[in-house]
Amino acid sequence: NITGQGCIRLLTYRTGTDVPYNLQAGRLLTDQDRVLEQYLMYLGLLGSIVSILLALISWMLAGRSLGPAQKAWDQQQTFVSNASHELRTPLTFIRATADYSLRTDPNEEQAEQLRNILAECDYMDILVDDLLLLSRLDAQRLVLELSLIPLPKLFAESLSRVQERADKESISLISNSYDGAIYADATRIKQVLLILLDNALRFTPAGGKVELSAQQTNKVVEITVSDTGAGIQSKHLPHLFERFYQVTSPKSSASRSNGLGLSIAKTLIEAHSGSLKVESEVGRGTRVNINLPIPKKRA
């Protein structure tokens, strides 16, 4: 029952033997309601305190577990950077010695061995450069020197670097770009294009073609490197950007790869706030799309 003072609990007792009658007793529940409210308040406060304590404990444990991992990562990056620098001196010395020996008119067998040494030095030099670049990218220490780059000029300079190789392998190089520009680091963008062109040439047989094109779509500049090569099996596509992951080229004369090219290309494009995507179909070729933001007009 409810009165002006609050709720009342009524208890009814049936008593009497000869003449039965009912006896009712009432009791206000105000005190019980107050005690219940206090109990709920204390229970909520206790739950909040426990939640805060659990969060603090979790944060402390996470900090302790992530600290060594972060330290190990930093040490690894430092080691890669230092090792890359230290390897340059002996590589330069070995290459200079082999190059000098090759100029002293050795016999054919010695000349072939010296040429092999030079080829290995060149490969190691590229590997050292790639590892050093990746360590800088991982540590976010690579400084991009951005400038406005006309696409026709960029394409012409990039294709000229691989034209001799394409002619030797009887592969046609096609350039198709609109008269636009991108705002990027010229050296790094050329490096990306050379990586993609090198991959395209490695997988394209004689008589095939490699095309470098660009167009403006929506709010991005889309640069595409496509080829009519053997293509890449779908099982390899999810792993193409993993470091040191390689797909065997069907060409026996393919240039040597260290498996870092696509990882570097993707990371460099992302450093320009862009994206890189690979599409391929076995027997029909491969298409790599680079999307970069359209340069903002400057006053």
Side-chain angles (χ1 to χ4, degrees):
N1 193 6
I2 300 177
T3 68
Q5 296 179 345
C7 295
I8 297 177
R9 173 180 292 173
L10 292 177
L11 300 176
T12 302
Y13 299 93
R14 188 177 182 85
T15 184
T17 53
D18 298 333
V19 181
Y21 60 91
N22 293 329
L23 177 64
Q24 286 188 329
R27 181 182 179 185
L28 284 173
L29 299 181
T30 305
D31 293 338
Q32 291 185 5
D33 290 340
R34 186 170 60 254
V35 172
L36 180 60
E37 290 176 358
Q38 291 177 350
Y39 173 76
L40 292 176
M41 181 181 67
Y42 292 145
L43 186 62
L45 181 60
L46 180 61
S48 300
I49 293 174
V50 171
S51 299
I52 293 173
L53 288 176
L54 289 175
L56 288 174
I57 293 173
S58 300
W59 179 76
M60 293 175 62
L61 292 176
R64 289 184 179 181
S65 60
L66 292 176
Q70 182 63 43
K71 183 178 180 181
W73 174 257
D74 293 339
Q75 290 176 341
Q76 176 184 340
Q77 297 306 307
T78 302
F79 169 77
V80 171
S81 179
N82 292 339
S84 299
H85 282 294
E86 292 298 326
L87 283 171
R88 288 184 181 278
T89 301
L91 279 175
T92 302
F93 177 76
I94 293 172
R95 198 186 195 293
T97 303
D99 186 60
Y100 174 78
S101 300
L102 192 60
R103 297 172 185 271
T104 59
D105 196 24
N107 59 48
E108 186 57 34
E109 182 179 356
Q110 292 173 334
E112 181 64 23
Q113 293 175 347
L114 290 171
R115 283 191 288 268
N116 289 337
I117 292 175
L118 289 173
E120 290 300 318
C121 285
D122 291 339
Y123 171 76
M124 286 297 298
D125 193 49
I126 294 173
L127 179 59
V128 168
D129 286 341
D130 288 348
L131 288 173
L132 184 58
L133 176 57
L134 282 172
S135 69
R136 289 176 179 171
L137 289 169
D138 289 338
Q140 297 182 348
R141 294 176 182 172
L142 183 68
V143 178
L144 298 177
E145 298 180 1
L146 303 177
S147 62
L148 200 62
I149 308 171
L151 286 171
K153 180 181 179 182
L154 173 65
F155 283 14
E157 292 177 353
S158 299
L159 291 175
S160 66
R161 297 280 298 275
V162 296
Q163 186 66 59
E164 182 179 353
R165 176 182 167 190
D167 293 341
K168 186 180 299 184
E169 298 181 12
S170 301
I171 298 174
S172 300
L173 293 180
I174 302 173
S175 178
N176 182 16
S177 172
Y178 75 103
D179 190 18
I182 57 174
Y183 193 61
D185 186 312
T187 300
R188 298 307 177 185
I189 288 297
K190 288 178 185 177
Q191 183 176 4
V192 170
L193 292 182
L194 288 175
I195 289 172
L196 300 182
L197 289 170
D198 175 74
N199 283 341
L201 290 172
R202 286 198 301 120
F203 284 87
T204 302
K209 66 178 182 179
V210 173
E211 182 176 359
L212 180 58
S213 61
Q215 61 179 342
Q216 181 176 323
T217 59
N218 297 327
K219 297 182 179 181
V220 300
V221 175
E222 183 180 80
I223 299 175
T224 302
V225 178
S226 58
D227 64 64
T228 59
I232 302 172
Q233 296 180 4
S234 58
K235 66 179 182 180
H236 295 299
L237 294 179
H239 307 287
L240 289 179
F241 300 111
E242 296 176 5
R243 296 177 185 181
F244 297 105
Y245 188 88
Q246 299 187 55
V247 179
T248 304
S249 170
K251 296 167 61 176
S252 58
S253 60
S255 61
R256 190 172 180 182
S257 171
N258 56 32
L260 294 175
L262 284 178
S263 177
I264 290 174
K266 184 174 186 293
T267 308
L268 284 174
I269 292 299
E270 289 175 347
H272 285 81
S273 301
S275 62
L276 188 149
K277 182 180 179 182
V278 178
E279 300 173 352
S280 187
E281 186 176 347
V282 175
R284 301 193 64 177
T286 302
R287 178 186 178 94
V288 183
N289 294 322
I290 300 172
N291 289 329
L292 293 170
I294 294 177
K296 296 181 179 180
K297 293 183 180 180
R298 295 177 294 175

